[in-house]
Amino acid sequence: MDKMRGFILVLAALVLFLSGCAGFQTSNSNNEKNEQEGNTEGKTVIDFWTFWGSEIRKPIIEKIIADFNASQDEIEVKHTFLPFGDIWTKELAAIAAGDPPDVVINDINATALRGQKKQAMNLSQFLENDDISTRFYPELWDATLYEGDSYGIPFNTDTRVLFYNKDAFEEVGLDPEKPPTTWAELEEYAAKLDKKSGNDYDRVGFYPLWGIGYDVWLLNANGQNYFDEQNNFQIDTAKNEEVLNWLKTWKDRYGDDVVNSYQAQIDSQQGHPFFSGDLAMIAQTPTFYTQIRDYAKDLNFGVVELPEYEAGNGNTSWGGGFVAEIPEGSKNPEEAWEFIKYLTDVQAQEYWAVQNFDNVANIEAAETAAQSDEFTEDGTMVYEKAVENMEHTLLTPVPVVAPDFSSLINPNMDEFFLGSMTAKEALEKSQKDVESLIKKNQ
């Protein structure tokens, strides 16, 4: 009897261990047989991997999955959550092992690279008879293409805008309904908004590298990516040298102690200096509003597109996002496609947008969400601006000839901001390093 009991305990432990290897899985059916390829109801079960496991996002995506499962009687979607840092490593391992998920959420800017490496399935076989490309912002759709074919369907996106404190504007005599429109005005307004006590700042007007990086300002100034349509790379220009030196003047003006102290407060979220009025303006994604809503609900603020490099240059912003794709080797690609269509159609996209306060890829859903009565007045203001700003927003798809090219540029920029290189030296080295990478891959 004792031997039998011991055998049962060992067997149970082995089952638990093996079940844990696949990640945390949730199903919208209580039928345990839904873990199999086909359940007792005759449905095909597909495995959907995401990194949405937070208290906020997990219930939202699982509601969408439940609605899809209830909408038809042929497919059952099973949700597998994997942490952000693990999901794509495990996906590649699963592809190599011949047992990938059927649908996975992945980075939009590297979609072409995954297509080229045959990690994602070419979706032209579905789009030929079921073209849904017009649902999405063109910039997002184009980012999914490799050699003219799509390898992922856009799901969500983002953009960068400028938040500003209206009360601080009034305090120093600035019109709160007229935020800065150019870089020159941004500097002028920031100087007026700065408030010092001796050598210490009680309020910083603006610092361009809180919230967004140097690359967004280069994009804003140029109105285009480093790469053209022929994958020619250009970063070593006089304008980029000017932009980097402009950014450095802000760092020199406030000093490392102020920059680092404020950055630590920003990283704490709840203690963010914009919430307390100690920072008058900050560039951020529109979802920054949810932190204002949660931690500074009485803050009197406005939101506007990023100022132009100079009048007439354009308010270019940067965006990223994610796609739903079918990994190469999926055993159920047709069923996966049906789920992806549902996931990126108006109903699911609008629900995701409103519940998450997130920019979605579906144009109709985004515009409908902007009018949602579930948003507060401030929420509506920010979401409308987020939708409007998509016309100024560029993505930066990773060229297949230069994978991970940013890892060659960023160290040079770090050296520049530390004072170890001039702007010209950093740009020249970046140009040379990326050109060498392109030559190697061509």
Side-chain angles (χ1 to χ4, degrees):
M1 190 69 173
D2 289 339
K3 289 183 179 180
M4 180 61 71
R5 185 178 294 112
F7 173 76
I8 291 171
L9 289 172
V10 170
L11 182 61
L14 180 61
V15 170
L16 286 171
F17 172 77
L18 291 175
S19 64
C21 291
F24 177 69
Q25 298 176 342
T26 60
S27 173
N28 294 295
S29 169
N30 290 324
N31 189 338
E32 293 180 359
K33 291 186 178 180
N34 282 350
E35 297 295 321
Q36 308 301 319
E37 282 299 311
N39 64 17
T40 54
E41 297 173 350
K43 292 185 177 182
T44 299
V45 176
I46 64 171
D47 195 6
F48 174 39
W49 285 16
T50 82
F51 50 85
W52 296 320
S54 69
E55 292 181 2
I56 295 174
R57 294 202 164 187
K58 180 183 169 188
I60 296 169
I61 192 61
E62 294 199 339
K63 172 66 164 59
I64 293 172
I65 292 170
D67 288 347
F68 172 77
N69 287 341
S71 71
Q72 42 71 52
D73 57 9
E74 296 181 354
I75 306 166
E76 185 82 10
V77 176
K78 176 186 64 177
H79 179 212
T80 297
F81 159 72
L82 291 163
F84 190 84
D86 297 337
I87 183 170
W88 300 304
T89 302
K90 292 191 174 183
E91 181 207 1
L92 292 179
I95 291 171
D99 189 27
D102 298 294
V103 181
V104 66
I105 298 296
N106 221 321
D107 173 36
I108 192 170
N109 277 317
T111 308
L113 192 60
R114 293 189 300 276
Q116 187 243 8
K117 291 185 174 183
K118 300 189 184 305
Q119 295 166 356
M121 184 174 290
N122 187 326
L123 302 178
S124 60
Q125 59 184 302
F126 304 113
L127 290 162
E128 286 173 0
N129 299 316
D130 207 0
D131 187 0
I132 59 173
S133 61
T134 56
R135 291 179 179 180
F136 311 104
Y137 293 101
E139 184 76 15
L140 301 182
W141 183 257
D142 291 345
T144 73
L145 304 179
Y146 170 62
E147 296 185 342
D149 292 333
S150 176
Y151 286 81
I153 303 299
F155 181 79
N156 63 343
T157 186
D158 55 22
T159 184
R160 272 71 186 159
V161 292
L162 182 72
F163 288 84
Y164 65 97
N165 186 317
K166 289 187 173 183
D167 290 341
F169 271 47
E170 286 190 353
E171 179 189 319
V172 299
L174 294 169
D175 187 340
E177 303 308 321
K178 293 182 179 179
T181 60
T182 64
W183 288 16
E185 286 187 353
L186 190 60
E187 287 187 85
E188 176 190 344
Y189 285 30
K192 289 182 178 180
L193 289 159
D194 282 342
K195 186 190 291 186
K196 294 188 72 174
S197 295
N199 293 324
D200 297 324
Y201 280 87
D202 294 328
R203 181 175 65 211
V204 169
F206 179 72
Y207 184 67
L209 297 177
W210 290 330
I212 60 177
Y214 73 87
D215 51 341
V216 179
W217 292 108
L218 292 177
L219 193 72
N220 178 274
N222 289 288
Q224 62 185 25
N225 191 4
Y226 301 137
F227 294 86
D228 64 18
E229 293 181 358
Q230 286 72 47
N231 284 331
N232 297 309
F233 175 75
Q234 190 66 55
I235 195 172
D236 183 16
T237 67
K239 178 180 277 191
N240 286 347
E241 184 178 0
E242 178 191 345
V243 172
L244 290 180
N245 284 324
W246 177 77
L247 293 171
K248 185 77 158 45
T249 62
W250 292 85
K251 188 172 186 289
D252 295 341
R253 170 178 160 187
Y254 290 117
D256 287 339
D257 288 346
V258 171
V259 170
N260 293 336
S261 173
Y262 268 69
Q263 185 63 61
Q265 295 175 59
I266 289 169
D267 292 342
S268 75
Q269 289 197 359
Q270 261 182 294
H272 200 296
F274 187 73
F275 305 157
S276 60
D278 296 337
L279 176 62
M281 297 183 287
I282 187 168
Q284 258 290 359
T285 60
T287 54
F288 180 62
Y289 162 72
T290 62
Q291 295 182 46
I292 299 175
R293 178 197 65 199
D294 294 343
Y295 303 132
K297 63 181 180 180
D298 295 326
L299 187 67
N300 184 19
F301 72 96
V303 62
V304 68
E305 58 272 9
L306 292 181
E308 300 177 277
Y309 168 75
E310 58 187 12
N313 196 69
N315 304 95
T316 306
S317 186
W318 179 80
F322 295 95
V323 295
E325 65 188 28
I326 305 174
E328 190 67 41
S330 163
K331 295 179 175 63
N332 304 294
E334 290 82 9
E335 291 81 3
W337 173 250
E338 290 302 317
F339 175 58
I340 287 175
K341 283 197 301 178
Y342 182 90
L343 193 63
T344 59
D345 210 346
V346 176
Q347 180 181 338
Q349 288 270 287
E350 183 184 350
Y351 182 75
W352 179 271
V354 172
Q355 299 302 315
N356 276 307
F357 200 85
D358 196 15
N359 277 67
V360 288
N362 186 299
I363 299 172
E364 182 181 349
E367 293 175 347
T368 303
Q371 307 306 316
S372 172
D373 56 12
E374 293 192 41
F375 292 156
T376 64
E377 184 177 346
D378 283 343
T380 297
M381 171 187 69
V382 176
Y383 202 89
E384 285 181 344
K385 177 55 64 179
V387 173
E388 290 171 8
N389 211 52
M390 287 306 298
E391 68 175 288
H392 305 302
T393 302
L394 296 181
L395 272 67
T396 51
V398 178
V400 296
V401 295
D404 202 25
F405 72 91
S406 60
S407 67
L408 299 177
I409 300 174
N410 290 337
N412 299 326
M413 298 305 153
D414 290 342
E415 292 299 317
F416 163 68
F417 285 111
L418 288 170
S420 303
M421 298 176 76
T422 66
K424 180 63 176 173
E425 289 170 342
L427 292 168
E428 283 182 342
K429 188 171 188 307
S430 297
Q431 184 75 37
K432 180 180 178 181
D433 291 347
V434 176
E435 284 180 347
S436 296
L437 176 66
I438 294 171
K439 184 176 181 181
K440 175 184 176 183
N441 286 303
Q442 284 179 333

Coordinates of all heavy atoms in Angstrom, one line a residue, residues 242-301:
E242 N 23.4 68.8 -35.5 CA 22.7 69.9 -34.9 C 21.7 69.4 -33.8 O 21.7 70.0 -32.7 CB 22.0 70.8 -35.9 CG 21.3 71.9 -35.3 CD 20.4 72.6 -36.4 OE1 20.5 72.4 -37.6 OE2 19.5 73.4 -35.9
V243 N 21.0 68.4 -34.1 CA 20.0 67.9 -33.2 C 20.6 67.3 -31.9 O 20.2 67.6 -30.8 CB 19.1 66.8 -33.9 CG1 18.2 66.1 -32.8 CG2 18.2 67.4 -35.0
L244 N 21.7 66.5 -32.1 CA 22.3 66.0 -31.0 C 22.9 67.0 -30.1 O 22.8 67.0 -28.9 CB 23.4 65.0 -31.4 CG 23.0 63.7 -32.1 CD1 24.2 62.8 -32.5 CD2 22.1 62.9 -31.1
N245 N 23.5 68.1 -30.7 CA 24.1 69.1 -29.9 C 23.0 69.9 -29.2 O 23.2 70.4 -28.1 CB 25.0 70.1 -30.8 CG 26.3 69.4 -31.1 OD1 26.9 68.8 -30.3 ND2 26.8 69.7 -32.4
W246 N 21.8 70.1 -29.8 CA 20.7 70.7 -29.2 C 20.3 69.9 -28.0 O 20.0 70.5 -26.9 CB 19.6 70.8 -30.2 CG 18.3 71.4 -29.7 CD1 18.0 72.8 -29.4 CD2 17.1 70.7 -29.4 NE1 16.7 72.9 -29.0 CE2 16.1 71.7 -28.9 CE3 16.7 69.4 -29.4 CZ2 14.8 71.4 -28.5 CZ3 15.4 69.1 -29.0 CH2 14.5 70.0 -28.6
L247 N 20.2 68.6 -28.1 CA 19.8 67.8 -27.0 C 20.8 67.9 -25.8 O 20.5 68.0 -24.6 CB 19.7 66.3 -27.4 CG 18.5 66.0 -28.3 CD1 18.6 64.6 -28.9 CD2 17.2 66.2 -27.7
K248 N 22.1 68.0 -26.2 CA 23.2 68.1 -25.2 C 23.1 69.4 -24.4 O 23.4 69.4 -23.2 CB 24.5 67.9 -25.9 CG 25.7 67.9 -24.9 CD 25.9 66.5 -24.3 CE 27.3 66.2 -23.8 NZ 27.9 67.3 -23.1
T249 N 22.6 70.5 -25.1 CA 22.5 71.7 -24.4 C 21.6 71.7 -23.2 O 21.8 72.3 -22.2 CB 22.1 72.9 -25.3 OG1 20.8 72.6 -25.8 CG2 23.1 73.1 -26.5
W250 N 20.5 70.9 -23.4 CA 19.5 70.7 -22.3 C 20.2 70.0 -21.1 O 20.0 70.3 -19.9 CB 18.3 69.9 -22.8 CG 17.4 70.6 -23.7 CD1 17.6 70.6 -25.1 CD2 16.2 71.4 -23.5 NE1 16.6 71.4 -25.7 CE2 15.7 71.8 -24.7 CE3 15.5 71.7 -22.3 CZ2 14.6 72.6 -24.8 CZ3 14.4 72.4 -22.4 CH2 13.9 72.9 -23.7
K251 N 20.9 68.9 -21.4 CA 21.6 68.2 -20.4 C 22.6 69.0 -19.6 O 22.7 69.0 -18.4 CB 22.3 67.0 -21.0 CG 22.9 66.0 -20.0 CD 23.4 64.7 -20.7 CE 23.8 63.6 -19.7 NZ 25.1 64.0 -19.1
D252 N 23.4 69.9 -20.4 CA 24.4 70.7 -19.8 C 23.7 71.8 -18.9 O 24.2 72.3 -17.9 CB 25.2 71.4 -20.8 CG 26.1 70.3 -21.6 OD1 26.3 69.2 -21.0 OD2 26.5 70.6 -22.7
R253 N 22.5 72.3 -19.4 CA 21.8 73.4 -18.7 C 21.3 72.9 -17.3 O 21.5 73.7 -16.4 CB 20.6 73.8 -19.6 CG 19.6 74.7 -19.0 CD 18.6 75.0 -20.0 NE 17.4 75.5 -19.5 CZ 16.3 75.7 -20.3 NH1 16.3 75.4 -21.5 NH2 15.2 76.2 -19.7
Y254 N 20.8 71.8 -17.2 CA 20.2 71.3 -15.9 C 21.3 70.6 -15.1 O 21.2 70.6 -13.8 CB 19.0 70.4 -16.2 CG 17.8 71.1 -16.7 CD1 17.3 70.8 -17.9 CD2 17.2 72.1 -16.0 CE1 16.2 71.5 -18.4 CE2 16.1 72.8 -16.4 CZ 15.6 72.5 -17.7 OH 14.5 73.1 -18.2
G255 N 22.2 70.0 -15.7 CA 23.2 69.2 -15.0 C 22.8 67.8 -14.6 O 21.6 67.5 -14.5
D256 N 23.8 67.0 -14.4 CA 23.6 65.6 -14.2 C 22.8 65.3 -12.9 O 21.9 64.4 -12.9 CB 24.9 64.8 -14.1 CG 25.6 64.6 -15.5 OD1 24.9 64.7 -16.5 OD2 26.8 64.4 -15.5
D257 N 23.0 66.1 -11.9 CA 22.3 65.9 -10.6 C 20.8 66.0 -10.7 O 20.0 65.2 -10.3 CB 22.9 66.8 -9.5 CG 24.3 66.4 -9.1 OD1 24.7 65.3 -9.4 OD2 24.9 67.2 -8.4
V258 N 20.4 67.1 -11.4 CA 19.0 67.4 -11.6 C 18.4 66.3 -12.5 O 17.3 65.8 -12.3 CB 18.8 68.8 -12.2 CG1 17.3 69.0 -12.6 CG2 19.2 69.9 -11.2
V259 N 19.1 66.0 -13.6 CA 18.6 65.1 -14.6 C 18.4 63.7 -13.9 O 17.3 63.1 -14.1 CB 19.5 65.0 -15.8 CG1 19.1 63.8 -16.7 CG2 19.5 66.2 -16.6
N260 N 19.4 63.3 -13.2 CA 19.3 61.9 -12.6 C 18.3 61.9 -11.4 O 17.6 60.9 -11.3 CB 20.7 61.5 -12.0 CG 21.7 61.3 -13.1 OD1 21.3 61.0 -14.3 ND2 22.9 61.5 -12.8
S261 N 18.2 63.0 -10.7 CA 17.2 63.1 -9.6 C 15.8 63.0 -10.1 O 14.9 62.2 -9.6 CB 17.4 64.3 -8.8 OG 16.4 64.5 -7.8
Y262 N 15.5 63.8 -11.1 CA 14.2 63.8 -11.7 C 13.9 62.4 -12.4 O 12.7 61.9 -12.3 CB 14.0 64.9 -12.8 CG 13.5 66.2 -12.2 CD1 14.2 66.9 -11.3 CD2 12.2 66.6 -12.5 CE1 13.7 68.1 -10.7 CE2 11.7 67.8 -12.0 CZ 12.4 68.5 -11.1 OH 11.9 69.7 -10.5
Q263 N 14.9 61.8 -13.0 CA 14.7 60.5 -13.7 C 14.3 59.5 -12.7 O 13.4 58.6 -12.9 CB 15.9 60.1 -14.4 CG 15.7 58.8 -15.2 CD 14.7 58.9 -16.3 OE1 14.9 59.7 -17.2 NE2 13.7 58.1 -16.3
A264 N 14.9 59.5 -11.5 CA 14.5 58.6 -10.4 C 13.1 58.7 -10.0 O 12.4 57.8 -9.7 CB 15.5 58.7 -9.2
Q265 N 12.6 60.0 -9.9 CA 11.2 60.2 -9.6 C 10.3 59.8 -10.7 O 9.2 59.2 -10.4 CB 11.0 61.7 -9.3 CG 11.7 62.3 -8.1 CD 11.6 63.8 -8.0 OE1 10.5 64.3 -7.9 NE2 12.7 64.5 -8.1
I266 N 10.7 60.0 -11.9 CA 9.9 59.5 -13.0 C 9.7 58.0 -13.0 O 8.6 57.4 -13.3 CB 10.5 60.0 -14.4 CG1 10.3 61.5 -14.5 CG2 9.9 59.2 -15.6 CD1 11.1 62.1 -15.6
D267 N 10.8 57.3 -12.7 CA 10.8 55.8 -12.7 C 9.9 55.3 -11.6 O 9.4 54.2 -11.7 CB 12.2 55.3 -12.5 CG 13.1 55.6 -13.7 OD1 12.6 55.8 -14.8 OD2 14.4 55.5 -13.6
S268 N 9.6 56.1 -10.6 CA 8.8 55.6 -9.4 C 7.3 55.6 -9.8 O 6.5 55.1 -9.0 CB 9.1 56.5 -8.2 OG 8.4 57.7 -8.3
Q269 N 6.9 56.3 -10.9 CA 5.6 56.4 -11.3 C 4.7 57.3 -10.4 O 4.4 58.4 -10.7 CB 4.9 55.0 -11.6 CG 5.4 54.3 -12.8 CD 4.5 53.2 -13.3 OE1 3.5 52.9 -12.7 NE2 4.9 52.5 -14.3
Q270 N 4.4 56.8 -9.2 CA 3.5 57.5 -8.3 C 4.2 58.9 -7.9 O 3.5 59.9 -7.8 CB 3.2 56.7 -7.0 CG 1.9 56.1 -7.1 CD 1.6 55.3 -5.8 OE1 2.3 54.3 -5.4 NE2 0.6 55.8 -5.0
G271 N 5.5 58.9 -7.8 CA 6.2 60.1 -7.5 C 6.6 61.0 -8.7 O 7.5 61.8 -8.5
H272 N 6.0 60.7 -9.8 CA 6.4 61.4 -11.1 C 6.3 62.9 -10.9 O 5.2 63.5 -10.4 CB 5.4 61.0 -12.2 CG 5.9 61.2 -13.5 ND1 6.2 62.5 -14.0 CD2 6.3 60.4 -14.6 CE1 6.6 62.4 -15.3 NE2 6.7 61.1 -15.6
P273 N 7.3 63.7 -11.2 CA 7.3 65.2 -11.0 C 6.2 65.9 -11.8 O 5.8 67.0 -11.5 CB 8.7 65.6 -11.4 CG 9.2 64.5 -12.3 CD 8.6 63.2 -11.7
F274 N 5.7 65.3 -12.9 CA 4.7 65.9 -13.7 C 3.4 66.0 -12.9 O 2.6 66.9 -12.9 CB 4.5 65.2 -15.0 CG 3.5 65.9 -15.9 CD1 3.8 67.1 -16.6 CD2 2.2 65.4 -16.1 CE1 2.9 67.8 -17.4 CE2 1.3 66.1 -17.0 CZ 1.7 67.3 -17.6
F275 N 3.2 64.9 -12.1 CA 2.0 64.8 -11.2 C 1.9 65.9 -10.1 O 0.9 66.4 -9.8 CB 1.8 63.4 -10.6 CG 1.8 62.3 -11.6 CD1 2.2 61.0 -11.2 CD2 1.5 62.5 -13.0 CE1 2.2 60.0 -12.1 CE2 1.6 61.5 -13.9 CZ 1.9 60.2 -13.4
S276 N 3.1 66.2 -9.6 CA 3.2 67.1 -8.5 C 3.4 68.6 -8.9 O 3.4 69.5 -8.1 CB 4.4 66.7 -7.6 OG 5.6 66.8 -8.3
G277 N 3.5 68.8 -10.2 CA 3.7 70.1 -10.7 C 5.2 70.5 -10.8 O 5.5 71.7 -11.1
D278 N 6.1 69.6 -10.5 CA 7.5 69.9 -10.5 C 8.2 69.8 -11.8 O 9.3 70.1 -12.0 CB 8.3 69.0 -9.5 CG 7.8 69.2 -8.0 OD1 7.3 70.3 -7.7 OD2 8.0 68.3 -7.2
L279 N 7.4 69.3 -12.8 CA 7.8 69.2 -14.2 C 6.6 69.8 -15.0 O 5.5 69.3 -14.9 CB 8.2 67.8 -14.6 CG 8.5 67.5 -16.0 CD1 9.7 68.3 -16.5 CD2 8.7 66.0 -16.3
A280 N 6.9 70.8 -15.8 CA 5.8 71.5 -16.5 C 5.4 70.8 -17.8 O 4.2 70.9 -18.2 CB 6.2 72.9 -16.8
M281 N 6.3 70.2 -18.5 CA 6.0 69.5 -19.8 C 6.8 68.2 -19.9 O 7.9 68.1 -19.5 CB 6.4 70.5 -21.0 CG 5.6 71.8 -21.0 SD 6.1 72.8 -22.5 CE 7.8 73.3 -22.1
I282 N 6.2 67.2 -20.6 CA 6.9 66.0 -20.9 C 6.3 65.3 -22.1 O 5.1 65.3 -22.4 CB 6.8 65.0 -19.6 CG1 7.7 63.8 -19.9 CG2 5.3 64.6 -19.4 CD1 7.9 62.9 -18.7
A283 N 7.2 64.8 -22.9 CA 6.8 64.0 -24.1 C 6.6 62.5 -23.7 O 7.5 62.0 -23.0 CB 7.9 64.1 -25.2
Q284 N 5.5 62.0 -24.1 CA 5.2 60.6 -23.6 C 4.2 60.0 -24.6 O 3.7 60.6 -25.5 CB 4.5 60.7 -22.2 CG 5.4 60.3 -21.1 CD 5.8 58.8 -21.1 OE1 5.3 58.0 -21.9 NE2 6.6 58.4 -20.1
T285 N 3.9 58.7 -24.4 CA 2.8 58.0 -25.1 C 1.5 58.4 -24.5 O 1.4 58.8 -23.3 CB 3.0 56.5 -25.0 OG1 2.9 56.1 -23.6 CG2 4.3 56.0 -25.6
P286 N 0.4 58.4 -25.3 CA -0.9 58.8 -24.8 C -1.3 57.9 -23.5 O -2.1 58.4 -22.7 CB -1.8 58.5 -25.9 CG -1.0 58.7 -27.1 CD 0.4 58.2 -26.7
T287 N -0.9 56.7 -23.4 CA -1.3 55.9 -22.3 C -0.7 56.5 -21.0 O -1.1 56.0 -19.9 CB -0.8 54.4 -22.4 OG1 0.6 54.4 -22.7 CG2 -1.5 53.7 -23.6
F288 N 0.2 57.4 -21.0 CA 0.6 58.1 -19.8 C -0.6 58.7 -19.1 O -0.5 58.9 -17.9 CB 1.6 59.2 -20.2 CG 2.2 60.0 -19.1 CD1 2.9 59.4 -18.1 CD2 2.0 61.4 -19.0 CE1 3.5 60.2 -17.1 CE2 2.5 62.2 -18.0 CZ 3.3 61.5 -17.0
Y289 N -1.6 59.0 -19.8 CA -2.8 59.6 -19.2 C -3.3 58.7 -18.1 O -3.9 59.2 -17.1 CB -3.9 59.8 -20.2 CG -5.3 59.9 -19.6 CD1 -5.6 61.1 -18.9 CD2 -6.2 58.9 -19.7 CE1 -6.9 61.2 -18.2 CE2 -7.4 59.0 -19.1 CZ -7.8 60.1 -18.3 OH -9.0 60.2 -17.7
T290 N -3.2 57.3 -18.2 CA -3.8 56.5 -17.2 C -3.1 56.6 -15.9 O -3.7 56.4 -14.8 CB -3.7 55.0 -17.7 OG1 -2.3 54.6 -17.9 CG2 -4.5 54.8 -19.0
Q291 N -1.8 57.0 -15.9 CA -1.1 57.3 -14.7 C -1.6 58.6 -14.1 O -1.7 58.8 -12.9 CB 0.4 57.4 -14.9 CG 1.0 56.0 -15.3 CD 2.5 56.1 -15.5 OE1 3.2 56.7 -14.7 NE2 3.0 55.6 -16.6
I292 N -1.8 59.6 -14.9 CA -2.4 60.9 -14.4 C -3.7 60.6 -13.8 O -4.0 61.1 -12.7 CB -2.5 61.9 -15.6 CG1 -1.2 62.2 -16.2 CG2 -3.2 63.2 -15.1 CD1 -1.2 63.1 -17.4
R293 N -4.5 59.8 -14.5 CA -5.9 59.5 -14.0 C -5.8 58.8 -12.6 O -6.6 59.1 -11.7 CB -6.6 58.5 -15.0 CG -7.9 58.0 -14.6 CD -8.3 56.9 -15.4 NE -7.4 55.7 -15.2 CZ -7.3 54.7 -16.0 NH1 -7.9 54.7 -17.2 NH2 -6.5 53.7 -15.7
D294 N -4.8 57.9 -12.4 CA -4.7 57.1 -11.2 C -4.0 57.9 -10.1 O -4.3 57.6 -8.9 CB -4.0 55.8 -11.5 CG -4.8 54.9 -12.4 OD1 -6.0 55.1 -12.6 OD2 -4.2 54.0 -13.0
Y295 N -3.0 58.7 -10.4 CA -2.2 59.3 -9.4 C -2.3 60.8 -9.2 O -1.9 61.4 -8.2 CB -0.7 59.0 -9.6 CG -0.4 57.5 -9.7 CD1 0.4 57.0 -10.8 CD2 -0.9 56.6 -8.8 CE1 0.7 55.7 -10.9 CE2 -0.6 55.3 -8.9 CZ 0.2 54.8 -9.9 OH 0.5 53.5 -10.0
A296 N -3.0 61.5 -10.2 CA -3.1 63.0 -10.1 C -4.4 63.4 -10.8 O -4.3 64.2 -11.8 CB -1.9 63.6 -10.8
K297 N -5.5 62.9 -10.3 CA -6.8 63.1 -11.0 C -7.2 64.5 -11.1 O -8.0 64.9 -12.0 CB -7.9 62.2 -10.4 CG -8.2 62.6 -8.9 CD -9.2 61.7 -8.4 CE -9.6 62.1 -6.9 NZ -10.6 61.2 -6.4
D298 N -6.7 65.4 -10.3 CA -7.1 66.8 -10.3 C -6.1 67.7 -11.1 O -6.2 68.9 -11.1 CB -7.1 67.4 -8.9 CG -8.2 66.7 -8.0 OD1 -9.3 66.4 -8.6 OD2 -8.0 66.5 -6.8
L299 N -5.1 67.1 -11.8 CA -4.1 67.8 -12.5 C -4.8 68.5 -13.7 O -5.5 67.9 -14.5 CB -3.0 66.9 -13.0 CG -1.8 67.5 -13.7 CD1 -1.0 68.4 -12.7 CD2 -0.9 66.5 -14.3
N300 N -4.5 69.8 -13.9 CA -5.1 70.6 -15.0 C -4.0 70.5 -16.2 O -3.1 71.3 -16.1 CB -5.4 72.0 -14.6 CG -6.1 72.8 -15.7 OD1 -6.6 72.3 -16.6 ND2 -6.0 74.1 -15.5
F301 N -4.3 69.7 -17.1 CA -3.2 69.5 -18.2 C -3.8 69.6 -19.6 O -5.0 69.5 -19.8 CB -2.5 68.2 -18.0 CG -3.4 67.0 -18.3 CD1 -3.3 66.4 -19.5 CD2 -4.3 66.5 -17.4 CE1 -4.1 65.3 -19.9 CE2 -5.1 65.4 -17.7 CZ -5.0 64.8 -18.9

